[in-house]
Amino acid sequence: TEQGIPPKVLEIAEGIKTMRIRGAGKIARAAAEALKIAALEYGGVKEVAPFKRYMGKVADLLIATRPTAVSLPNAVMYVLSSLHRANPGTFEDAVNTVVLTAEKFIEESINAVKVISETAARRIRENSIILTHCHSSVAVSAITEAYKLGRVVKVYSTETRPFYQGRITAKQLLENGVPVVQIPDSAVRYVMHEVDHVVIGADTVASNGAVVNKIGTSQVALAAKEARVRVYVVAETYKFSPTTLIGEPVPIEFRDPTEVVPDSWLQKHPRIKVLNPSFDVTPPEYIDAIITEIGVIPPQAAILVLMERLGWALDKIKQGGL
Ligand code: RUB
């Protein structure tokens, strides 16, 4: 099924799968870029129908790379639905539609991160200590923005076992001049009494306001709730999941045991089972606000964001397919 798909597109798909390209926003933008490349490098019959079929194949390949972040299928659907809506008369129009919509998605995505960061920064109090989990490019950007306003004195960054995305967070914050302290995930409750705000990203926001993010996020939120610390989720609207409106659960990715323990240890102890869930669900009651590019909402208002921003996807669901 990979026949006829350009190597650069396969490379992006592989990059997402192996987590060379990771984080929900980056994954979405990479997928849009892959669709653009696929359109420009299409080598089949230059007619609309076969081109559409080919783009459908590329879409399936991209969507199959990782299951949890809804930003991926949302980005792909955004580009492909424009191709169907535009109803292009010529092959050239069809290619153009894909290229322009992909570029629009990437541009709007980058802009959303900027708007969210500015909004989030204004919500951070003076002299704040912030805790973040995993590596969210939106959270790093928001914390950096708050730091520039002189509001951040320290950031606790969890190491985020087993993949250690927290090391990327610590490195980037430091590069941005933000004082950062790396802690093991198990130290979250120990430091929570010092923390003023928890700022985290999202892979998927469900219609009831539940936030799916890196494994451990719900423990962080639980510790924050106990200590009366505010939890802010920073997430672009394309991280809201339209299919959760019809009660579809968000699929949780399970990754290889060798991310948790070395293969040699597994060999030595073949009867020990290892579970490696990559994401968990934080219920809306544990989240104080979700900060999006169209405003700050209580998690319970997630459904309104879905109606406003993903109406086109809802229409598709009603027609019986997404
Ligand atoms: C990354 C993760 C991030 C969100 C948001 O998981 O859980 O918090 O994707 O990131 P993984 P961003 O490393 O498994 O992809 O704000 O960059 O979209």
Side-chain angles (χ1 to χ4, degrees), residues 125-187:
R125 284 187 298 256
E126 302 279 313
N127 297 318
S128 281
I129 296 179
I130 292 174
L131 185 141
T132 189
H133 183 57
C134 191
H135 171 258
S136 151
S137 45
V138 191
V140 168
S141 170
I143 294 166
T144 303
E145 202 55 40
Y147 175 75
K148 284 191 198 148
L149 296 180
R151 299 189 177 186
V152 179
V153 294
K154 178 161 72 179
V155 179
Y156 283 114
S157 154
T158 60
E159 60 180 354
T160 318
R161 267 193 57 83
F163 208 78
Y164 298 106
Q165 288 94 332
R167 292 176 182 174
I168 307 172
T169 301
K171 218 179 115 228
Q172 286 187 356
L173 285 173
L174 202 69
E175 275 166 13
N176 296 348
V178 186
V180 59
V181 179
Q182 177 100 121
I183 55 166
D185 305 321
S186 43

Coordinates of all heavy atoms in Angstrom, one line a residue, residues 125-187:
R125 N 0.5 34.6 37.8 CA 0.8 35.6 38.7 C 2.2 36.0 38.8 O 3.1 35.2 38.5 CB 0.3 35.2 40.1 CG -1.2 35.2 40.3 CD -1.6 34.9 41.7 NE -1.1 33.6 42.1 CZ -1.9 32.5 42.2 NH1 -3.2 32.6 42.0 NH2 -1.5 31.3 42.6
E126 N 2.5 37.2 39.4 CA 3.9 37.6 39.7 C 4.6 36.6 40.5 O 4.0 35.9 41.4 CB 3.9 38.9 40.5 CG 3.2 40.1 39.8 CD 4.1 40.7 38.7 OE1 5.2 41.0 39.0 OE2 3.6 41.0 37.6
N127 N 5.9 36.4 40.3 CA 6.7 35.5 41.2 C 6.2 34.1 41.3 O 6.2 33.5 42.3 CB 6.9 36.1 42.6 CG 7.5 37.4 42.6 OD1 8.5 37.6 41.9 ND2 7.0 38.4 43.4
S128 N 5.8 33.6 40.2 CA 5.2 32.2 40.2 C 6.3 31.1 40.1 O 7.3 31.3 39.4 CB 4.2 32.1 39.0 OG 3.0 32.7 39.4
I129 N 5.9 30.0 40.7 CA 6.7 28.8 40.5 C 5.7 27.9 39.7 O 4.5 27.7 40.1 CB 7.1 28.1 41.8 CG1 8.1 29.0 42.5 CG2 7.7 26.7 41.6 CD1 8.6 28.5 43.9
I130 N 6.2 27.4 38.6 CA 5.3 26.6 37.7 C 5.8 25.2 37.6 O 7.0 24.9 37.7 CB 5.3 27.3 36.3 CG1 4.6 28.6 36.4 CG2 4.7 26.4 35.2 CD1 4.7 29.4 35.1
L131 N 4.9 24.3 37.5 CA 5.3 22.9 37.2 C 4.7 22.5 35.9 O 3.5 22.8 35.6 CB 4.8 22.0 38.4 CG 5.2 20.5 38.3 CD1 5.5 20.0 39.7 CD2 4.2 19.6 37.6
T132 N 5.5 21.8 35.1 CA 5.0 21.3 33.8 C 5.4 19.8 33.7 O 6.4 19.4 34.4 CB 5.4 22.1 32.6 OG1 4.7 21.6 31.4 CG2 6.9 22.0 32.3
H133 N 4.7 19.1 32.9 CA 4.9 17.6 32.7 C 5.1 17.3 31.2 O 4.5 17.9 30.4 CB 3.7 16.9 33.3 CG 3.9 15.4 33.2 ND1 4.9 14.7 33.8 CD2 3.1 14.4 32.6 CE1 4.8 13.4 33.6 NE2 3.7 13.2 32.9
C134 N 6.0 16.4 30.9 CA 6.3 16.0 29.5 C 6.9 17.2 28.8 O 7.4 18.2 29.4 CB 5.1 15.5 28.8 SG 5.4 14.7 27.3
H135 N 6.9 17.2 27.5 CA 7.3 18.3 26.7 C 6.2 18.7 25.8 O 5.8 18.0 24.8 CB 8.6 18.0 25.8 CG 8.8 19.1 24.8 ND1 8.5 19.0 23.5 CD2 9.4 20.3 25.0 CE1 8.8 20.2 22.9 NE2 9.3 21.0 23.8
S136 N 5.6 19.9 26.1 CA 4.6 20.5 25.3 C 5.1 21.7 24.7 O 5.6 22.6 25.5 CB 3.3 20.7 26.1 OG 2.6 21.8 25.6
S137 N 5.1 21.9 23.4 CA 5.7 23.1 22.8 C 4.9 24.3 23.2 O 5.4 25.4 23.3 CB 5.9 22.9 21.3 OG 4.7 22.4 20.7
V138 N 3.6 24.1 23.4 CA 2.7 25.2 23.8 C 3.0 25.6 25.2 O 3.1 26.8 25.5 CB 1.2 24.9 23.6 CG1 0.4 26.2 23.7 CG2 0.9 24.3 22.3
A139 N 3.2 24.6 26.1 CA 3.5 25.0 27.5 C 4.8 25.7 27.6 O 4.9 26.7 28.3 CB 3.5 23.7 28.3
V140 N 5.8 25.2 26.9 CA 7.2 25.8 26.9 C 7.0 27.3 26.4 O 7.6 28.2 27.0 CB 8.2 25.1 26.0 CG1 9.5 25.9 25.8 CG2 8.5 23.7 26.7
S141 N 6.3 27.5 25.3 CA 6.1 28.8 24.8 C 5.4 29.7 25.8 O 5.8 30.9 26.0 CB 5.4 28.7 23.4 OG 5.0 29.9 23.0
A142 N 4.3 29.2 26.4 CA 3.5 30.0 27.3 C 4.4 30.4 28.6 O 4.3 31.5 29.0 CB 2.3 29.2 27.8
I143 N 5.1 29.4 29.1 CA 5.9 29.7 30.3 C 7.0 30.7 29.9 O 7.3 31.6 30.7 CB 6.6 28.3 30.8 CG1 5.4 27.4 31.3 CG2 7.6 28.6 31.9 CD1 5.9 26.0 31.5
T144 N 7.6 30.6 28.8 CA 8.6 31.5 28.3 C 8.1 32.9 28.2 O 8.7 33.9 28.6 CB 9.2 31.1 27.0 OG1 9.8 29.7 27.1 CG2 10.4 32.0 26.5
E145 N 6.9 33.0 27.7 CA 6.2 34.3 27.5 C 5.9 34.9 28.9 O 6.2 36.1 29.1 CB 4.9 34.1 26.8 CG 4.3 35.3 26.1 CD 5.2 35.9 25.1 OE1 5.9 35.2 24.4 OE2 5.2 37.2 25.1
A146 N 5.5 34.1 29.9 CA 5.2 34.6 31.2 C 6.6 35.0 31.9 O 6.6 36.0 32.6 CB 4.6 33.5 32.1
Y147 N 7.6 34.3 31.6 CA 8.9 34.6 32.1 C 9.4 36.0 31.6 O 9.9 36.8 32.3 CB 10.0 33.6 31.7 CG 11.4 33.9 32.1 CD1 11.8 33.9 33.5 CD2 12.3 34.4 31.2 CE1 13.0 34.2 33.9 CE2 13.6 34.8 31.6 CZ 13.9 34.7 32.9 OH 15.2 35.0 33.3
K148 N 9.1 36.3 30.3 CA 9.5 37.6 29.7 C 8.7 38.7 30.4 O 9.2 39.8 30.4 CB 9.2 37.5 28.2 CG 10.2 36.7 27.4 CD 10.0 37.0 25.9 CE 10.6 35.9 25.0 NZ 9.8 35.7 23.8
L149 N 7.5 38.4 30.9 CA 6.7 39.4 31.6 C 7.2 39.6 33.0 O 6.7 40.3 33.8 CB 5.2 39.1 31.6 CG 4.5 39.0 30.3 CD1 3.0 38.6 30.5 CD2 4.6 40.3 29.5
G150 N 8.3 38.8 33.4 CA 8.8 38.9 34.7 C 8.0 38.1 35.8 O 8.1 38.5 36.9
R151 N 7.2 37.2 35.4 CA 6.3 36.5 36.3 C 6.8 35.2 36.8 O 6.1 34.6 37.7 CB 4.9 36.4 35.7 CG 4.4 37.7 35.3 CD 3.0 37.7 34.9 NE 2.5 39.0 34.6 CZ 1.2 39.3 34.3 NH1 0.3 38.3 34.2 NH2 0.9 40.5 34.0
V152 N 7.8 34.6 36.2 CA 8.2 33.2 36.6 C 9.5 33.2 37.3 O 10.5 33.8 36.8 CB 8.3 32.4 35.3 CG1 8.7 31.0 35.7 CG2 7.0 32.4 34.6
V153 N 9.6 32.7 38.5 CA 10.9 32.6 39.2 C 11.5 31.2 39.0 O 12.7 31.1 39.1 CB 10.8 33.0 40.7 CG1 10.4 34.4 40.8 CG2 9.8 32.1 41.4
K154 N 10.7 30.2 38.8 CA 11.2 28.8 38.7 C 10.2 27.9 38.1 O 9.0 28.1 38.2 CB 11.6 28.3 40.1 CG 12.1 26.9 40.2 CD 12.8 26.6 41.5 CE 11.9 26.5 42.7 NZ 12.6 26.2 43.9
V155 N 10.8 26.9 37.3 CA 9.9 25.9 36.7 C 10.4 24.5 37.1 O 11.5 24.2 36.9 CB 9.9 26.0 35.1 CG1 9.0 24.9 34.5 CG2 9.5 27.4 34.7
Y156 N 9.5 23.8 37.7 CA 9.8 22.3 37.9 C 9.4 21.6 36.6 O 8.2 21.7 36.2 CB 9.0 21.8 39.1 CG 9.6 22.2 40.4 CD1 8.9 23.1 41.3 CD2 10.9 21.8 40.8 CE1 9.4 23.5 42.5 CE2 11.4 22.2 42.0 CZ 10.7 23.0 42.8 OH 11.3 23.4 44.0
S157 N 10.3 20.9 36.1 CA 10.0 20.1 34.9 C 10.2 18.6 35.2 O 11.3 18.2 35.6 CB 11.0 20.5 33.7 OG 11.2 19.5 32.8
T158 N 9.2 17.8 35.1 CA 9.3 16.4 35.4 C 10.1 15.7 34.3 O 10.0 16.1 33.2 CB 7.9 15.7 35.5 OG1 7.3 15.9 34.2 CG2 7.0 16.4 36.5
E159 N 10.8 14.7 34.7 CA 11.6 14.0 33.7 C 10.8 13.2 32.7 O 11.1 13.1 31.5 CB 12.7 13.1 34.3 CG 12.2 12.0 35.2 CD 13.3 11.2 35.7 OE1 14.5 11.4 35.4 OE2 13.0 10.3 36.6
T160 N 9.6 12.8 33.1 CA 8.6 12.1 32.2 C 9.1 10.8 31.7 O 9.4 10.6 30.5 CB 8.2 13.0 31.0 OG1 7.9 14.3 31.5 CG2 6.9 12.5 30.4
R161 N 9.3 9.9 32.7 CA 9.6 8.5 32.3 C 8.4 7.9 31.5 O 7.3 8.3 31.7 CB 9.9 7.7 33.6 CG 11.3 7.7 33.9 CD 11.6 6.6 35.0 NE 11.2 5.3 34.5 CZ 11.9 4.5 33.8 NH1 13.1 4.8 33.4 NH2 11.5 3.3 33.4
P162 N 8.6 6.9 30.6 CA 9.9 6.3 30.3 C 10.7 7.0 29.2 O 11.8 6.6 28.9 CB 9.6 4.9 29.9 CG 8.2 5.1 29.3 CD 7.5 6.2 30.0
F163 N 10.1 8.0 28.5 CA 10.7 8.5 27.3 C 11.6 9.8 27.5 O 12.3 10.2 26.7 CB 9.7 8.7 26.2 CG 10.1 8.6 24.8 CD1 10.3 7.4 24.2 CD2 10.4 9.7 24.0 CE1 10.8 7.3 22.9 CE2 10.9 9.6 22.7 CZ 11.1 8.4 22.2
Y164 N 11.5 10.3 28.7 CA 12.3 11.5 29.2 C 12.0 12.7 28.3 O 13.0 13.5 28.1 CB 13.7 11.1 29.2 CG 14.1 10.0 30.2 CD1 14.4 8.7 29.8 CD2 14.0 10.3 31.6 CE1 14.7 7.7 30.7 CE2 14.3 9.3 32.5 CZ 14.6 8.0 32.0 OH 14.9 7.0 32.9
Q165 N 10.8 13.0 27.9 CA 10.5 14.2 27.2 C 10.8 15.4 28.0 O 11.1 16.5 27.5 CB 9.0 14.3 26.7 CG 8.7 13.3 25.6 CD 8.1 12.0 26.1 OE1 8.5 11.6 27.2 NE2 7.3 11.4 25.4
G166 N 10.8 15.3 29.4 CA 11.1 16.4 30.3 C 12.5 17.0 30.1 O 12.7 18.1 30.4
R167 N 13.4 16.1 29.6 CA 14.7 16.7 29.3 C 14.7 17.7 28.2 O 15.5 18.6 28.2 CB 15.7 15.5 28.9 CG 15.9 14.6 30.1 CD 16.8 13.4 29.8 NE 16.9 12.6 31.0 CZ 17.5 11.4 31.0 NH1 18.0 10.9 29.8 NH2 17.6 10.7 32.1
I168 N 13.8 17.5 27.2 CA 13.7 18.4 26.1 C 13.1 19.7 26.7 O 13.6 20.8 26.4 CB 12.7 17.9 25.0 CG1 13.1 16.5 24.5 CG2 12.6 18.9 23.8 CD1 12.1 15.9 23.6
T169 N 12.1 19.6 27.6 CA 11.5 20.8 28.2 C 12.6 21.6 29.0 O 12.7 22.8 28.8 CB 10.4 20.3 29.2 OG1 9.4 19.6 28.4 CG2 9.7 21.5 29.8
A170 N 13.3 20.9 29.8 CA 14.3 21.6 30.6 C 15.4 22.3 29.7 O 15.7 23.4 30.0 CB 15.0 20.5 31.5
K171 N 15.8 21.6 28.7 CA 16.8 22.2 27.8 C 16.2 23.4 27.1 O 16.9 24.5 27.0 CB 17.1 21.1 26.7 CG 18.6 21.1 26.3 CD 18.9 20.1 25.3 CE 19.3 20.7 24.0 NZ 18.7 20.3 22.8
Q172 N 15.0 23.3 26.6 CA 14.4 24.5 25.8 C 14.2 25.6 26.8 O 14.4 26.8 26.4 CB 13.1 24.1 25.2 CG 13.4 23.2 23.9 CD 12.1 22.9 23.2 OE1 11.0 23.3 23.6 NE2 12.2 22.2 22.0
L173 N 13.7 25.4 28.0 CA 13.4 26.5 28.9 C 14.7 27.2 29.3 O 14.8 28.4 29.3 CB 12.7 25.9 30.2 CG 11.2 25.6 30.0 CD1 10.7 24.9 31.3 CD2 10.4 26.8 29.7
L174 N 15.7 26.4 29.5 CA 17.0 27.0 29.8 C 17.5 27.8 28.7 O 18.0 28.9 28.9 CB 18.0 25.8 30.2 CG 19.2 26.3 31.0 CD1 18.7 26.7 32.4 CD2 20.3 25.3 31.1
E175 N 17.4 27.3 27.5 CA 17.8 28.1 26.3 C 17.1 29.4 26.2 O 17.6 30.4 25.7 CB 17.6 27.3 25.0 CG 18.7 26.3 24.7 CD 18.2 25.3 23.6 OE1 17.2 25.5 23.0 OE2 19.0 24.3 23.4
N176 N 15.8 29.4 26.7 CA 15.0 30.6 26.7 C 15.3 31.5 27.9 O 14.7 32.5 28.1 CB 13.5 30.3 26.6 CG 13.2 29.6 25.4 OD1 14.0 29.5 24.4 ND2 12.0 29.0 25.3
G177 N 16.3 31.1 28.8 CA 16.6 31.9 29.9 C 15.8 31.6 31.2 O 16.0 32.2 32.2
V178 N 14.9 30.6 31.1 CA 14.0 30.4 32.2 C 14.6 29.4 33.2 O 15.1 28.4 32.8 CB 12.7 29.7 31.7 CG1 11.7 29.6 32.9 CG2 12.1 30.5 30.6
P179 N 14.7 29.8 34.5 CA 15.3 28.9 35.5 C 14.5 27.6 35.7 O 13.3 27.7 35.9 CB 15.2 29.7 36.8 CG 14.8 31.1 36.5 CD 14.2 31.0 35.1
V180 N 15.1 26.5 35.5 CA 14.4 25.3 35.5 C 15.0 24.2 36.4 O 16.2 24.2 36.5 CB 14.2 24.7 34.0 CG1 15.6 24.5 33.4 CG2 13.4 23.5 34.0
V181 N 14.2 23.4 37.1 CA 14.7 22.4 37.9 C 14.0 21.1 37.5 O 12.8 21.0 37.4 CB 14.3 22.6 39.4 CG1 14.8 21.5 40.3 CG2 14.8 24.0 39.9
Q182 N 14.9 20.1 37.1 CA 14.3 18.8 36.7 C 14.1 17.9 37.9 O 15.0 17.8 38.7 CB 15.4 18.2 35.8 CG 15.1 16.9 35.2 CD 14.5 16.9 33.8 OE1 15.1 16.3 32.9 NE2 13.4 17.6 33.6
I183 N 12.9 17.3 37.9 CA 12.6 16.4 39.0 C 12.1 15.1 38.5 O 11.5 15.1 37.4 CB 11.5 17.0 40.0 CG1 10.3 17.4 39.2 CG2 12.1 18.2 40.8 CD1 9.0 17.7 40.1
P184 N 12.3 14.0 39.3 CA 11.7 12.8 38.8 C 10.2 12.9 39.0 O 9.7 13.7 39.8 CB 12.3 11.7 39.8 CG 12.9 12.4 40.9 CD 13.1 13.9 40.5
D185 N 9.5 12.1 38.2 CA 8.0 12.2 38.2 C 7.5 11.9 39.7 O 6.5 12.5 40.1 CB 7.4 11.1 37.3 CG 7.9 11.3 35.9 OD1 8.1 12.4 35.4 OD2 8.2 10.3 35.2
S186 N 8.2 11.1 40.4 CA 7.7 10.7 41.7 C 7.9 11.8 42.7 O 7.5 11.7 43.9 CB 8.5 9.5 42.2 OG 9.9 9.6 41.8
A187 N 8.6 12.9 42.3 CA 8.8 14.1 43.3 C 7.7 15.2 43.1 O 7.8 16.2 43.8 CB 10.2 14.7 43.1

